[in-house]
Amino acid sequence: MAAAGPAEVVVVGSCMTDLVSLTTRLPKAGETIHGHKFFIGFGGKGANQCIQAARLGAKTLMICKVGKDSFGNDYIENFKRNGISTDFVGQTEDAATGAASIIVNSEVKTLFNPAPAHAELDPQFYTHSDIFCCNESEAEILTGIPVGSPEDAGKVGLVLLERGCKLVIVTLGAEGCVMISVDEPIPKHVPAGKVRAVDTTGAGDSFVGALAFFMACYPNLSMEEVIRKSNFIASVSVQASGTQSSYPYRKDLPQDLF
Ligand SMILES: Nc1ncnc2c1ncn2[C@@H]1O[C@H](COP(=O)(O)OP(=O)(O)OP(=O)(O)O)[C@@H](O)[C@H]1O
Ligand SMILES: *[C@@H]1O[C@H](CO)[C@@H](O)[C@H](O)[C@H]1NC(C)=O
Ligand SMILES: *[C@@H]1O[C@H](CO)[C@@H](O)[C@H](O)[C@H]1NC(C)=O
């Protein structure tokens, strides 16, 4: 699956192994209880976004660090299975920490996803990002404006433009998202299609991964069209359970998306 040539999408971000135990209730401190299912999943926001971009067909490269242990080895295998270059995946004795992810394509467009968000984000992140994409709670942490509607998201967008962002996208779950840019400083709501959501975990990363894919591989599309397509892909991911396990492959999507 890995194609030769330079990467189209480069992701700097976290890479985590999820150890998931399904139980009927939480154990008390020190208590041992019976679980009915256990599985290991691949997670981490940066890695999720990279996997979604790769499954859509972008040449991808991941920059992160994993531990020098079996989980780290397994994660590197997971990247390789998905056709992602691991030349810059380091292995260390230290624990991996995921704080934020930056996606860069070959034209050095920078897409920044402030997850997890901190109110005192270095202001250079606003001015240096071509696209600044956050969800409702991140938007509130960064601006103090509670977001419950497309109108609120528009207000957040205006504040972030004042801080130096060029283009802001605020995702709104089932409501899709709102975009606003320096070129067109009027908030635009781009709704998502109505679907039966089964599990919305990781929808935001599917959206950001799809956004990176379309920006890198279809540079001529308008941002509104890129967002429409990314909404569609993220809305497919919410119709299956799990995080990376719910991310669609290009071959399973309507071909008029590409
Ligand atoms: N119920 C839904 N129906 C349709 N599309 C959805 C739904 N939930 C999410 N989406 C799609 O996924 C995108 C991202 O969702 P959301 O804003 O919930 O991100 P998030 O909060 O970062 O998600 P998470 O933290 O669960 O990964 C939305 O912009 C939309 O395109
Ligand atoms: C937004 O993303 C953060 C991670 O930064 C997550 O913890 C939070 O639950 C998300 N918010 C919503 C409304 O899904
Ligand atoms: C994008 O647009 C430019 C200028 O209109 C054109 O030369 C180029 O072939 C287009 N690229 C793609 C991939 O469609």
Side-chain angles (χ1 to χ4, degrees):
M1 198 175 152
E8 294 164 314
V9 173
V10 176
V11 178
V12 184
S14 64
C15 164
M16 307 283 176
T17 300
D18 298 330
L19 304 174
V20 187
S21 298
L22 302 185
T23 61
T24 50
R25 63 176 178 85
L26 293 178
K28 300 189 186 91
E31 185 191 13
T32 301
I33 62 168
H34 231 97
H36 54 271
K37 201 174 173 190
F38 172 80
F39 60 90
I40 296 178
F42 296 108
K45 299 189 73 72
N48 290 343
Q49 294 167 12
C50 196
I51 295 271
Q52 179 66 90
R55 287 192 184 169
L56 294 173
K59 274 179 253 165
T60 51
L61 182 154
M62 184 73 196
I63 301 177
C64 67
K65 213 164 237 184
V66 295
K68 220 173 207 163
D69 49 31
S70 62
F71 290 144
N73 297 341
D74 288 350
Y75 217 121
I76 289 172
E77 272 312 301
N78 181 48
F79 283 136
K80 288 185 174 156
R81 267 198 306 281
N82 282 277
I84 294 166
S85 164
T86 57
D87 294 352
F88 296 93
V89 177
Q91 282 194 289
T92 173
E93 310 280 329
D94 302 336
T97 49
S101 56
I102 298 169
I103 300 176
V104 186
N105 79 1
S106 49
E107 291 173 283
V108 202
K109 283 237 173 176
T110 307
L111 194 168
F112 182 67
N113 174 219
H118 298 285
E120 63 286 359
L121 181 70
D122 186 327
Q124 291 206 343
F125 280 108
Y126 298 113
T127 50
H128 287 333
S129 313
D130 293 299
I131 314 250
F132 191 97
C133 179
C134 59
N135 71 11
E136 292 156 282
S137 24
E138 291 153 358
E140 178 171 358
I141 292 168
L142 295 169
T143 65
I145 300 172
V147 179
S149 68
E151 291 69 37
D152 299 335
K155 287 182 206 154
V156 165
L158 285 165
V159 168
L160 296 182
L161 287 191
E162 273 172 28
R163 292 189 191 167
C165 289
K166 298 178 194 77
L167 193 150
V168 177
I169 300 170
V170 181
T171 64
L172 299 166
E175 290 279 351
C177 47
V178 162
M179 68 175 272
I180 187 167
S181 66
V182 169
D183 298 336
E184 240 176 290
I186 298 159
K188 169 124 196 112
H189 181 204
V190 186
K194 292 237 178 310
V195 299
R196 204 174 64 86
V198 176
D199 180 359
T200 62
T201 316
D205 294 335
S206 171
F207 180 87
V208 174
L211 204 64
F213 164 76
F214 285 112
M215 281 166 46
C217 299
Y218 296 85
N220 285 1
L221 288 178
S222 71
M223 192 42 74
E224 189 177 336
E225 195 55 31
V226 164
I227 289 174
R228 241 176 247 296
K229 288 173 185 285
S230 303
N231 268 341
F232 181 87
I233 285 159
S235 77
V236 169
S237 82
V238 305
Q239 296 173 68
S241 62
T243 301
Q244 291 179 14
S245 55
S246 73
Y247 290 0
Y249 289 86
R250 181 177 186 134
K251 65 175 173 51
D252 300 321
L253 289 161
Q255 291 307 301
D256 59 4
L257 277 172
F258 301 100

